[in-house]
Amino acid sequence: MALQDVCKWQSPDTQGPSPHLPRAGGWAVPRGCDPQTFLQIHGPRLAHGTTTLAFRFRHGVIAAADTRSSCGSYVACPASCKVIPVHQHLLGTTSGTSADCATWYRVLQRELRLRELREGQLPSVASAAKLLSAMMSRYRGLDLCVATALCGWDRSGPMLFYVYSDGTRLQGDIFSVGSGSPYAYGVLDRGYRYDMSTQEAYALARCAVAHATHRDAYSGGSVDLFHVRESGWEHVSRSDACVLYMELQKLLEPEPEEDASHAHPEPATAHRAAEDRELSVGPGEMTPGDSRMPAGTETV
């Protein structure tokens, strides 16, 4: 028998308006208030954090990022992908609001595909960065939060650009974005060289992200590593950040010291050497380290 037949229970009208949500047509704000200004002042402030990095070297472009998506003190997803492919020769790291980053990368993929169909070839990395910067700059001041590093290989070789949601566009060799970027920059500035080998670049990227996840509370999970070559990008590995940091610490541990008996002579040996030195010195002689006056020079 159904529940409503036993206790005369009636299901709520799910089609009608909910008392906890505003009416259809928009969110209700006090009269005389601009919705955008009201949400900026009274809206929720949730801290976001991440660690992403990219650097250019002679064998291509390396992109690495952690996989923790945080929302304040809450870990929303421990295994998210913060490196998004655009096409076979272009990908980008994402930092900021996850929804904004995913949306604008879908828009960029669509626009680049349309331009490829019109022109018959893929646009350069610089053109893609300029296009993304121009599109996002129109939404300046609307709480759009997207910070990305575009990594690609075109006719000019390996290229790296940083693009921010306010329209900022920079070209460089090293970029790190997110709350863990100061720690990542410390490792990158010490070990980066343009003529690195591929394995040295992999080790440097893993080390930088692993140290950042250890110090930054909003970064963690795993370390995703991508490599953009002339033939296209490839996903190199995904390593657990905690295990990777512990392995790096073991490599940095100092070697055990030598036996103390070899480093420091025994006290008896030192005492015997001092006695032999005293016997070899005559009664009227004075050694350089002896502060006593000889017996023949004493005065009455």
Side-chain angles (χ1 to χ4, degrees):
M1 185 178 293
L3 180 62
Q4 55 266 30
D5 297 333
V6 176
C7 58
K8 305 302 179 182
W9 176 81
Q10 297 292 331
S11 62
D13 184 11
T14 57
Q15 301 298 328
S18 171
H20 304 289
L21 295 176
R23 298 183 303 275
W27 294 90
V29 297
R31 292 183 177 180
C33 292
D34 178 56
Q36 176 184 346
T37 305
F38 181 81
L39 290 176
Q40 289 179 351
I41 298 176
H42 302 285
R45 293 295 179 183
L46 298 177
H48 303 279
T50 184
T51 299
T52 63
L53 62 89
F55 58 87
R56 188 172 66 100
F57 71 121
R58 64 174 181 173
H59 296 293
V61 184
I62 297 294
D66 72 310
T67 61
R68 175 179 293 177
S69 293
S70 57
C71 187
S73 58
Y74 174 71
V75 178
C77 180
S80 61
C81 186
K82 299 181 182 180
V83 182
I84 300 179
V86 180
H87 55 70
Q88 183 60 28
H89 292 82
L90 180 65
L91 52 79
T93 64
T94 58
S95 178
T97 306
S98 299
D100 292 341
C101 294
T103 300
W104 280 102
Y105 264 97
R106 285 198 296 267
V107 174
L108 181 63
Q109 291 172 354
R110 181 194 66 196
E111 294 296 328
L112 293 181
R113 176 57 178 165
L114 291 174
R115 182 170 293 186
E116 179 187 6
L117 294 174
R118 288 194 301 264
E119 300 176 358
Q121 62 181 2
L122 286 171
S124 63
V125 181
S127 298
K130 186 176 182 179
L131 176 62
L132 181 61
S133 172
M135 290 189 299
M136 292 193 301
S137 63
R138 303 172 186 173
Y139 298 88
R140 184 183 304 171
L142 297 179
D143 285 342
L144 181 65
C145 185
V146 177
T148 178
L150 285 174
C151 317
W153 192 301
D154 55 19
R155 294 176 296 275
S156 302
M159 302 294 291
L160 178 60
F161 284 87
Y162 167 77
V163 180
Y164 189 58
S165 51
D166 62 355
T168 301
R169 177 169 53 95
L170 302 173
Q171 181 180 1
D173 292 332
I174 303 176
F175 288 114
S176 182
V177 189
S179 57
S181 59
Y183 311 108
Y185 269 127
V187 178
L188 290 174
D189 290 341
R190 181 180 180 182
Y192 172 77
R193 300 190 326 273
Y194 185 80
D195 58 346
M196 286 187 298
S197 65
T198 301
Q199 295 302 322
E200 289 176 341
Y202 291 170
L204 178 63
R206 291 192 185 103
C207 181
V209 179
H211 278 78
T213 57
H214 181 71
R215 295 295 181 183
D216 180 38
Y218 295 105
S219 303
S222 302
V223 179
D224 272 338
L225 183 63
F226 287 77
H227 186 187
V228 183
R229 305 174 182 266
E230 186 176 4
S231 58
W233 62 266
E234 65 170 320
H235 185 197
V236 179
S237 65
R238 170 173 282 195
S239 309
D240 186 270
C242 183
V243 175
L244 186 59
Y245 180 79
M246 296 302 295
E247 293 176 354
L248 293 173
Q249 289 299 109
K250 291 180 180 179
L251 294 176
L252 296 176
E253 288 182 356
E255 297 180 358
E257 298 180 358
E258 298 180 357
D259 190 2
S261 60
H262 298 284
H264 304 285
E266 296 181 359
T269 306
H271 181 67
R272 190 180 302 110
E275 291 180 351
D276 296 341
R277 187 174 67 254
E278 290 179 0
L279 292 176
S280 61
V281 177
E285 299 178 358
M286 182 176 61
T287 61
D290 194 356
S291 61
R292 296 174 299 173
M293 295 293 292
T297 59
E298 292 180 0
T299 57
V300 179

